[in-house]
Amino acid sequence: MEVLPENVLIRTMPRPDRNNKTLAQLRRSLLKWYDGNRRELPWRSTKDPYAIWVSEIMLQQTRVAVVIERYKSFLASFPTVSALASASEQDVLALWSGLGYYRRARMMHKAARMVTEELGGRFPASADELRKLPGIGSYTAAAIASIAYGERISVVDGNVARAISRLRGWESEDSAGEAAIRRKVEEFASRLVDESRPGDFNQALMELGATVCTPRNPRCLNCPWAATCGTKGEHLTPKRPRTVTREVACALVVRSCATDSCQILLEQRAASESVMASMWQLPFLREAQFPESELRMTVRHAIMQVNYAVRVRSLSEEKLDQLADQDSRRRWVSFAEAGKMALTGLARKVLTRAELMPADMRTPIA
């Protein structure tokens, strides 16, 4: 019998996996619910492993509503893995701009080249082989393999872990207890996955966690597993680290110009930066405080665990000595050109809100 740490709380409940009949009932009820309630998302209408891969990478750390249009535009520009492989990194980053976590895009580009150059343009057909590609871990490999190829393998993301933890009545107060529960969740999920429809089952379980078994205020009356759930509501989880708030200021520097030739000043981040390397941003100011008369807007922007309060200042070309970095690589570019560049999410957000970017080049704001 497995002994869990003392800080792991497990409620007494009838074990839903006591026999195969109960597991089968859980599968049937979940798939029936999914067939009648699933959201119509563009990546659910294909079995193309490339398209499924793109969607899974985009959905990591990014809301579905933001991903939908970006997914469509990305596939329109790079419809095949070979098209992605032959593109420049800057072109790939430009289309990724606004989604954040840019390492995902760089690793996708690297993996696409590996598939094209070493595998003849054909994606591996199993989770074990998919994990050998750059940027594809166990979760993404299992998702692609089950959805595109029908491999009977479980997929455990945050939504799945939450739904199964509540179903089983597993709770914890700290990271050690959470890790123990995670192992139990993964073992249970591997037995629960449906043999005939593994891809649909995995998507159904993720959908349940995303739309019904939500972190706060779960919709238990709409849950197909409500009768056997060990929690029937929110469950105890470790406290998350508090986010840090910082105030910074950046400059919106526009050259006096005719309507059709306006230019804006951008600067490129160093290739050695650990975050958003080589991407283009608005120049930052040395001082976050400046006359309110020069304030163009304020913007809230989050990067990982840091929430930035960004003050955007309208700055004339004659005051560039007030910029923070006097040695950075800067360029004057037209608004149309800026829209096609690999901009940071903050830069794209500011230019969109300032209406300085052509409408067809704007992207959803995360």
Side-chain angles (χ1 to χ4, degrees):
M1 180 176 179
E2 181 179 358
V3 178
L4 294 177
E6 292 181 359
N7 54 355
V8 178
L9 309 177
I10 300 181
R11 293 174 176 165
T12 302
M13 59 171 291
R15 288 179 60 84
D17 62 330
R18 195 174 292 276
N19 54 55
N20 290 334
K21 182 178 179 180
T22 305
L23 287 175
Q25 289 173 342
L26 288 171
R27 297 181 191 117
R28 283 196 300 271
S29 61
L30 180 62
L31 285 170
K32 181 179 179 181
W33 170 84
Y34 180 67
D35 290 340
N37 295 275
R38 67 180 183 180
R39 292 169 292 179
E40 295 302 319
L41 302 174
W43 45 88
R44 288 183 174 162
S45 61
T46 180
K47 294 293 185 182
D48 177 7
Y50 169 69
I52 293 168
W53 172 54
V54 170
S55 71
E56 289 296 334
I57 298 297
M58 283 190 170
L59 287 165
Q60 294 172 12
Q61 308 293 328
T62 308
R63 293 181 293 109
V64 170
V66 175
V67 169
I68 291 175
E69 291 305 317
R70 305 304 299 279
Y71 170 82
K72 293 177 180 177
S73 62
F74 194 90
L75 286 186
S77 296
F78 310 125
T80 64
V81 67
S82 60
L84 177 58
S86 62
S88 71
E89 183 180 272
Q90 284 292 303
D91 286 342
V92 175
L93 291 174
L95 275 178
W96 199 269
S97 178
L99 286 173
Y101 298 93
Y102 295 96
R103 182 177 181 275
R104 295 179 296 170
R106 290 188 169 94
M107 297 304 283
M108 277 185 68
H109 193 217
K110 185 177 180 180
R113 289 185 169 175
M114 183 173 173
V115 170
T116 301
E117 296 169 5
E118 300 180 23
L119 303 177
R122 296 180 63 85
F123 261 83
S126 71
D128 285 343
E129 292 300 313
L130 283 162
R131 281 196 294 271
K132 296 177 182 178
L133 295 177
I136 296 185
S138 298
Y139 162 80
T140 304
I144 298 170
S146 65
I147 298 169
Y149 300 117
E151 182 176 342
R152 189 177 186 271
I153 185 171
S154 61
V155 175
V156 180
D157 67 354
N159 288 322
V160 170
R162 181 172 58 253
I164 289 180
S165 293
R166 287 174 176 172
L167 172 70
R168 303 290 288 152
W170 293 331
E171 299 180 314
S172 66
E173 294 183 304
D174 61 20
S175 57
E178 189 172 37
I181 288 176
R182 179 73 180 210
R183 291 192 294 272
K184 292 170 71 68
V185 164
E186 291 175 350
E187 189 275 333
F188 182 75
S190 68
R191 289 186 286 125
L192 184 62
V193 65
D194 188 79
E195 184 174 358
S196 60
R197 299 174 60 189
D200 284 344
F201 184 84
N202 284 328
Q203 291 183 92
L205 196 42
M206 290 187 281
E207 187 84 337
L208 183 71
T211 63
V212 174
C213 196
T214 51
R216 299 288 177 265
N217 303 313
R219 299 165 52 219
C220 297
L221 294 178
N222 302 102
C223 180
W225 287 350
T228 51
C229 182
T231 305
K232 291 184 172 62
E234 296 180 24
H235 68 309
L236 185 65
T237 58
K239 292 182 179 180
R240 303 301 177 188
R242 292 185 177 182
T243 57
V244 178
T245 300
R246 294 177 183 170
E247 186 175 83
V248 296
C250 61
L252 200 57
V253 189
V254 179
R255 276 180 169 169
S256 300
C257 54
T259 305
D260 59 350
S261 61
C262 290
Q263 291 185 317
I264 188 166
L265 184 64
L266 298 176
E267 66 180 29
Q268 189 174 35
R269 294 175 63 82
S272 59
E273 291 280 358
S274 59
V275 179
M276 295 176 288
S278 301
M279 298 192 70
W280 292 88
Q281 64 184 11
L282 296 176
F284 282 88
L285 292 160
R286 287 200 306 271
E287 302 293 337
Q289 302 301 321
F290 49 81
E292 291 298 314
S293 60
E294 296 178 357
L295 177 65
R296 183 68 174 268
M297 69 181 79
T298 57
V299 173
R300 298 286 178 179
H301 191 69
I303 301 177
M304 293 182 282
Q305 297 298 321
V306 181
N307 289 330
Y308 289 94
V310 185
R311 290 165 53 83
V312 183
R313 179 185 185 183
S314 293
L315 193 69
S316 66
E317 189 176 352
E318 293 74 27
K319 297 182 179 180
L320 296 185
D321 60 330
Q322 297 185 30
L323 299 179
D325 186 358
Q326 299 301 315
D327 299 321
S328 65
R329 178 184 173 189
R330 297 199 185 107
R331 275 182 58 191
W332 289 98
V333 299
S334 67
F335 297 152
E337 184 182 0
K340 299 175 183 178
M341 294 172 67
L343 299 176
T344 64
L346 175 59
R348 191 170 293 271
K349 181 182 291 187
V350 171
L351 294 180
T352 296
R353 292 187 179 176
E355 298 187 346
L356 296 177
M357 188 175 291
D360 60 347
M361 294 179 184
R362 297 176 189 173
T363 56
I365 297 175

